[in-house]
Amino acid sequence: MKRKFCIAPMMKKTDKHFRFLSRLLSENAYLYTEMIHSNAIIRGDANKLLSFNDCEQPVALQLGGSNPKDLGIAASIGEDFGYSEINLNVGCPSKKVKSGNFGVFLMKDKNLLSECLYEMKKNVSLPITVKCRIGVDEFEGKDFLFKFVNEISNVGIKTFIIHARKAISGLDTKRNRSIPKLNYKIVKDLKEEFPELEIILNGGIDNLEDCKNLLNNFDGIMLGRKIYDDPLFLLDVEKEIFNNVSQESIKSIMNKYLIYILNLQSQKDLNRALNHLMQLIKVISKNKKVRNQILHSLKNKDISIEDIFVNLKEDLLRKDLALNL
Ligand SMILES: Cc1cc2nc3c(=O)[nH]c(=O)nc-3n(C[C@H](O)[C@H](O)[C@H](O)COP(=O)(O)O)c2cc1C
């Protein structure tokens, strides 16, 4: 079951640097890119947008858009780059997405969505998957969801990643991730109705116990914010979900990531990659002064992993993380 534990696509977060870090922390997590619009891939700098490190595999490319021909072409370019899967974003409710009539708004137009998926399937031999919501606006309820999934599965889609919350057009993107309430039950019923489909549950999962319990009912789970806020959680996932006891120490993982960062050429890449490292350090140390010192030295490329650990020693000891050094 390769999609047993997935890290959610997140714009401006799950770039190739964060995915590199995630892979250092977890051998088994299945990774997704941020959403990339088909138009940007076809008419922009595909190399810049799509290149990734081989060690990230398995890594899926998430596309956005609603032009069937463009999506077909973008999927094919994605396949050439070596992604393991092409996923279509049918869950994003942002204003920009609404004006372009893609993302979750494709749930309202099953014919157009089917056409998009048909073109993508026609152009590539990779699995094509869908990430959607349980509904949007007045398109909601069990009847709607079951018919939606049934119709889309008839185009040949076998994997659905479902954010178990309906989207509401009038709400901004952020609030659309907390309102309305999650409904795991409807997704569980969906899995029971369509046992042959691979159903991955997403939304609000933030602890190991829930991960383990939910894996009894679903083919896989996908976590977003929990992983970005607390990347070290992936170490627990490896140990507890994948029984992987041969984990490297935090220090050795951070050292590898530091070497990776110090080899980055562009300032933009460096800044992005550093943000991810600081996110990890933030989990270890709540001391802003210490963190700022580390960041300053990192920006000047004037720090070794030993220095970082000297700075973090007290926090590590307090957190018992020192055991894993
Ligand atoms: C900062 C941020 C960016 C996101 N960008 C995307 C995206 O590009 N594509 C997508 O399908 N979902 C995106 N999402 C939604 C997540 O993939 C996920 O469905 C949502 O956060 C719920 O999962 P969680 O409760 O585990 O975070 C984003 C979420 C966040 C917080």
Side-chain angles (χ1 to χ4, degrees):
M1 246 200 314
K2 64 179 181 177
R3 296 184 191 83
K4 185 172 178 183
F5 187 94
C6 308
I7 302 183
M10 286 180 284
M11 299 275 273
K12 301 209 167 102
K13 309 271 185 219
T14 50
D15 57 21
K16 63 179 171 188
H17 314 301
F18 187 72
R19 298 194 307 265
F20 185 91
L21 176 62
S22 301
R23 181 59 73 226
L24 289 175
L25 291 160
S26 167
E27 273 173 44
N28 291 291
Y30 192 93
L31 309 180
Y32 283 79
T33 66
E34 316 165 74
M35 176 182 75
I36 307 178
H37 197 282
S38 56
N39 202 24
I41 293 175
I42 297 169
R43 289 158 196 101
D45 185 345
N47 201 39
K48 202 163 162 194
L49 292 168
L50 297 182
S51 63
F52 62 92
N53 299 286
D54 282 345
C55 67
E56 291 173 36
Q57 292 283 17
V59 56
L61 167 64
Q62 187 188 59
L63 293 178
S66 58
N67 179 314
K69 284 262 170 313
D70 278 3
L71 282 167
I73 296 168
S76 158
I77 298 174
E79 180 167 52
D80 291 344
F81 269 81
Y83 285 95
S84 60
E85 161 193 332
I86 311 288
N87 174 268
L88 184 63
N89 183 329
V90 189
C92 181
S94 77
K95 267 197 198 140
K96 215 167 159 188
V97 157
K98 191 177 183 196
S99 63
N101 198 31
F102 63 103
V104 78
F105 301 101
L106 282 170
M107 287 190 87
K108 295 186 181 187
D109 190 345
K110 283 180 281 187
N111 289 339
L112 177 59
L113 175 57
S114 299
E115 246 186 274
C116 292
L117 294 166
Y118 175 80
E119 282 297 322
M120 291 166 74
K121 275 197 80 69
K122 197 176 82 182
N123 278 16
V124 303
S125 55
L126 292 176
I128 303 290
T129 65
V130 159
K131 178 168 181 278
C132 63
R133 299 276 190 136
I134 54 174
V136 51
D137 298 332
E138 70 279 21
F139 294 72
E140 62 171 333
K142 207 163 163 173
D143 204 35
F144 164 75
L145 181 65
F146 284 23
K147 277 191 185 140
F148 172 83
V149 167
N150 187 41
E151 240 173 85
I152 301 307
S153 68
N154 287 337
V155 191
I157 303 302
K158 300 290 168 230
T159 302
F160 291 80
I161 301 162
I162 305 191
H163 182 174
R165 171 182 281 126
K166 131 180 159 162
I168 301 173
S169 306
L171 286 184
D172 63 40
T173 321
K174 194 166 177 203
R175 283 199 294 165
N176 253 305
R177 291 187 204 117
S178 58
I179 304 170
K181 267 182 22 192
L182 289 158
N183 183 351
Y184 291 167
K185 170 80 168 58
I186 198 171
V187 190
K188 184 168 176 266
D189 292 346
L190 180 79
K191 175 64 197 173
E192 278 163 18
E193 182 76 10
F194 299 95
E196 72 287 4
L197 297 179
E198 185 185 21
I199 305 290
I200 314 295
L201 182 78
N202 168 243
I205 309 168
D206 64 1
N207 65 76
L208 270 179
E209 204 185 325
D210 285 355
C211 289
K212 285 183 187 165
N213 289 336
L214 291 167
L215 281 169
N216 293 325
N217 296 320
F218 301 96
D219 299 299
I221 49 176
M222 173 180 269
L223 279 70
R225 287 164 292 185
K226 171 67 185 170
I227 304 298
Y228 197 77
D229 293 344
D230 180 9
L232 292 179
F233 182 68
L234 288 171
L235 295 176
D236 298 335
V237 168
E238 277 299 310
K239 214 185 301 163
E240 298 287 331
I241 309 255
F242 293 103
N243 297 321
N244 179 3
V245 285
S246 63
Q247 273 285 291
E248 272 181 72
S249 67
I250 297 172
K251 188 171 179 177
S252 152
I253 289 170
M254 278 174 71
N255 196 29
K256 284 187 179 166
Y257 189 59
L258 197 61
I259 292 168
Y260 167 84
I261 288 181
L262 294 176
N263 279 315
L264 290 171
Q265 301 301 323
S266 94
Q267 191 61 41
K268 200 171 163 199
D269 279 336
L270 182 68
N271 288 343
R272 276 189 150 217
L274 276 179
N275 280 344
H276 306 321
L277 180 63
M278 292 316 293
Q279 188 64 35
L280 193 153
I281 290 176
K282 204 163 147 189
V283 182
I284 301 173
S285 175
K286 299 286 170 233
N287 187 332
K288 210 168 172 183
K289 206 169 141 208
V290 169
R291 292 204 312 267
N292 283 342
Q293 262 170 12
I294 295 176
L295 182 61
H296 181 76
S297 310
L298 280 167
K299 282 197 165 154
N300 293 327
K301 296 194 171 184
D302 172 30
I303 192 166
S304 72
I305 196 69
E306 298 303 333
D307 302 331
I308 294 184
F309 270 75
V310 168
N311 277 303
L312 295 177
K313 201 171 165 199
E314 267 181 40
D315 293 293
L316 282 163
L317 282 171
R318 205 172 316 122
K319 278 181 148 314
D320 267 346
L321 285 168
L323 291 175
N324 202 9
L325 283 184

